[in-house]
Amino acid sequence: METGDPQRLEIRPYRDRTDLRALLAFASRLTAARFPFIAGWHPGNFAWDMIGRYDGPQDNLMWVEDGEVRAFVGFDGNDAWVEAEPRREALFAEAVRTAEHVARSRQHSELRVRAEMKDRARIAVLETGGFEQSAPEGVAFLRDLSKPFEPEGPPEGFGVRDCIGIDTASRAQAHRDAWDHLGHIGLPEARSSITDERYASLVDAGGYDPALDIVVVAPDGTLAAKCICWADAQSRVGIFEPVGTALPWRGRRLARAAIHEGLRRLQLRGMRWGHVGTAHFNSSAIAAYRASGFDLVDTSAWWSKRLTPA
């Protein structure tokens, strides 16, 4: 049911850290309300995606009412990541139209909007607006944490721990070691943008808990694999964002050990579900998530529309 007065909605971009708190609250409500659909953002997604950029304006738009975010569009070139509260579903269509207007004003020749394949209502909105399914985007996995499980530990000589007491420079290097080497998924030139300073900024972001920042330590002391877990009390969904293993240590089930420890800790914090997602072409991650006990619950795709100049 639609509620609220449209005249009270303010459409504006993200301004500063005060807006981060509002976005995290929006994502928490969204994750709870849209389940079992996979919401476009969990609080952990916002915290990670905006790392190092919390205090300045962003290239996005927020629909704000009484200090609360009701809809959001994030821009990335020709792509628009659109989300709205389910009880304000008409805002999804409005946000798509607004994203199209912005794209035309920027003289983009195409706009792409992501949608979950099971979300037929939002797909209908896109198709009514002239969008057509154009390319696969991602895959989404869930694991039921109401069921007991026995975590699988790392190989002999390796250890699993959290990041309490680990300096942020070492942790940032561990991330770069995993994400600077992506030739195995067809991205040989990819390089991580996470600097020591950006990782340090994460510590003050809402929802980050160093006890849920899990690393696998190699026999020589190297942080060989890692994942960050994000627990959300309102939805009781915990997510993994990001997950990675350094190049020399791949193929040893280290990511699985990190994920299992993360699942154990999320379960202890009362989470009902563990969620993780990845790009549709990331076959190694997909295999690792399946092996970690996750079930594939949905896929997503891009819907595209050719644009003429405004």
Side-chain angles (χ1 to χ4, degrees):
M1 177 182 295
E2 298 293 329
T3 60
D5 180 1
Q7 300 301 317
R8 296 171 62 187
L9 281 166
E10 177 188 12
I11 304 174
R12 61 171 177 82
Y14 177 99
R15 293 171 178 165
D16 53 33
R17 192 177 291 262
T18 301
D19 284 339
L20 176 64
R21 292 193 291 271
L23 280 179
L24 296 178
F26 167 67
S28 184
R29 295 193 305 273
L30 197 67
T31 301
R34 281 185 56 74
F35 196 85
F37 288 135
I38 303 300
W41 284 277
H42 180 281
N45 295 127
F46 274 126
W48 177 255
D49 290 349
M50 296 176 66
I51 185 172
R53 299 181 291 117
Y54 306 126
D55 294 313
Q58 305 294 322
D59 184 23
N60 55 41
L61 288 174
M62 308 187 305
W63 279 248
V64 183
E65 179 185 54
D66 297 329
E68 293 190 335
V69 179
R70 302 302 185 188
F72 179 88
V73 177
F75 296 99
D76 183 11
N78 290 335
D79 299 338
W81 298 76
V82 183
E83 191 56 276
E85 289 186 342
R87 70 186 188 93
R88 305 292 293 274
E89 197 63 26
L91 288 180
F92 178 78
E94 178 183 330
V96 171
R97 290 192 298 269
T98 301
E100 184 177 339
H101 175 76
V102 171
R104 290 181 190 277
S105 70
R106 295 176 179 177
Q107 298 185 326
H108 291 177
S109 60
E110 180 186 42
L111 178 66
R112 301 198 309 174
V113 178
R114 172 187 175 274
E116 301 290 332
M117 294 302 295
K118 290 182 179 179
D119 195 345
R120 302 309 306 175
R122 291 194 171 179
I123 289 172
V125 169
L126 292 172
E127 291 179 342
T128 299
F131 289 79
E132 297 181 350
Q133 185 178 344
S134 58
E137 192 273 327
V139 292
F141 294 88
L142 287 175
R143 176 155 183 168
D144 186 349
L145 295 181
S146 69
K147 302 175 182 178
F149 78 102
E150 190 67 32
E152 179 179 318
E156 184 176 355
F158 291 80
V160 180
R161 59 162 295 175
D162 56 40
C163 283
I164 296 175
I166 293 181
D167 65 276
T168 54
S170 297
R171 184 57 182 83
Q173 185 60 55
H175 180 84
R176 292 190 294 269
D177 288 344
W179 290 88
D180 281 353
H181 305 281
L182 302 181
H184 63 296
I185 58 172
L187 300 172
E189 304 302 320
R191 294 293 181 271
S192 170
S193 63
I194 302 301
T195 62
D196 296 355
E197 293 76 18
R198 293 185 75 187
Y199 207 93
S201 76
L202 185 68
V203 174
D204 297 324
Y208 174 79
D209 182 347
L212 293 177
D213 194 346
I214 310 300
V215 292
V216 178
V217 184
D220 66 358
T222 302
L223 303 184
K226 49 72 180 181
C227 66
I228 305 179
C229 310
W230 304 85
D232 178 52
Q234 181 170 345
S235 66
R236 297 181 66 197
V237 175
I239 69 163
F240 292 78
E241 176 71 286
V243 179
T245 302
L247 182 61
W249 307 104
R250 290 175 185 161
R252 304 192 190 196
R253 300 182 177 178
L254 301 186
R256 186 190 309 186
I259 290 169
H260 273 209
E261 178 61 16
L263 287 168
R264 185 186 74 82
R265 295 187 183 213
L266 288 172
Q267 192 177 52
L268 288 174
R269 282 161 174 75
M271 296 300 102
R272 177 65 173 78
W273 297 96
H275 164 56
V276 68
T278 191
H280 70 95
F281 55 80
N282 194 345
S283 58
S284 59
I286 291 170
Y289 300 149
R290 289 186 184 277
S292 299
F294 287 87
D295 295 318
L296 178 67
V297 293
D298 207 351
T299 61
S300 55
W302 293 107
W303 264 256
S304 300
K305 183 175 183 177
R306 302 295 298 176
L307 304 178
T308 55

